[in-house]
Amino acid sequence: MKTTIVYLPALDFNGELFGRRPQRLLKELAEIGYNVVYINCCDEYYQVEELEYPYPELHNFVVARAGTNVRSLMQDRVVYWVNDSRMASSVETAYPNLVVFDSLTDPERFEKDKHKMEAIADVVLITPERIYEHGRYCAHIHVITAEEFEIKQRAEQIARIIDDLPNRPAPLM
């Protein structure tokens, strides 16, 4: 089964916020073989083309301008990658196969509904360790460090977590 990771808009793909950790992790996941659709928020830079392929060698990594219909780019299994906890209600009603909440430490921007998003997510990635205390006993919370030299190892760790988890149950209609 082919998996598509859909990055929901939070950080501009070309921006430098948070050391580009989500961008680097997602690139590594594409190198592992996942299909990655990075929906760009375009807060800092305007994206001219609807779809851009920033890595010529990775045809399975596309950056989509916010508002672009990306449904045709999604394959069998859809994983939402969320940085912005304010999307909790939208994610909860969208019914992806899996939700990864990559928690960023910015109280004003990304942490307003942090606890709700943590409850909705199947996997919560937290860095650095100082913010791990509240989730120490939750099995779905993982500490992911972001040092440049270990991004590949972290992506492999995340891939194992994603691959090992079953899909969410389909909603009853």
Side-chain angles (χ1 to χ4, degrees):
M1 181 183 306
K2 196 73 171 148
T3 299
T4 301
I5 298 174
V6 179
Y7 178 85
L8 299 183
L11 297 177
D12 193 296
F13 179 77
N14 296 303
E16 294 297 325
L17 206 57
F18 300 102
R20 299 182 47 81
R21 182 175 65 87
Q23 296 92 320
R24 293 183 299 141
L25 281 170
L26 291 166
K27 179 182 183 237
E28 286 295 331
L29 287 165
E31 288 179 359
I32 289 171
Y34 290 92
N35 185 35
V36 175
V37 178
Y38 190 107
I39 301 176
N40 207 0
C41 70
C42 300
D43 282 347
E44 296 177 59
Y45 306 96
Y46 179 73
Q47 182 172 331
V48 177
E49 301 295 324
E50 279 194 344
L51 301 176
E52 293 179 359
Y53 293 84
Y55 309 109
E57 73 283 5
L58 290 174
H59 300 286
N60 58 329
F61 190 112
V62 62
V63 178
R65 184 175 63 215
T68 301
N69 185 344
V70 297
R71 181 83 40 209
S72 65
L73 300 172
M74 296 181 194
Q75 307 213 346
D76 299 334
R77 187 176 195 218
V78 177
V79 175
Y80 279 5
W81 187 288
V82 185
N83 281 135
D84 190 342
S85 67
R86 296 173 296 181
M87 293 184 168
S89 295
S90 299
V91 168
E92 191 172 30
T93 58
Y95 306 116
N97 298 116
L98 207 63
V99 175
V100 174
F101 175 43
D102 183 12
S103 182
L104 299 174
T105 54
D106 184 342
E108 293 303 311
R109 232 174 125 185
F110 301 118
E111 293 187 322
K112 293 204 182 282
D113 290 322
K114 181 178 179 172
H115 297 297
K116 182 176 182 182
M117 193 67 234
E118 286 175 351
I120 292 168
D122 301 291
V123 179
V124 179
L125 309 177
I126 295 183
T127 184
E129 286 190 41
R130 68 182 167 77
I131 61 172
Y132 178 62
E133 289 304 311
H134 74 281
R136 173 193 314 226
Y137 303 105
C138 298
H140 74 300
I141 296 181
H142 304 269
V143 175
I144 302 296
T145 56
E147 299 299 326
E148 185 69 41
F149 66 89
E150 55 187 20
I151 285 292
K152 183 177 179 70
Q153 290 88 338
R154 293 303 155 241
E156 290 168 353
Q157 177 186 3
I158 293 166
R160 284 190 301 274
I161 293 166
I162 289 172
D163 290 346
D164 288 346
L165 285 172
N167 286 344
R168 306 171 134 225
L172 299 173
M173 296 283 189

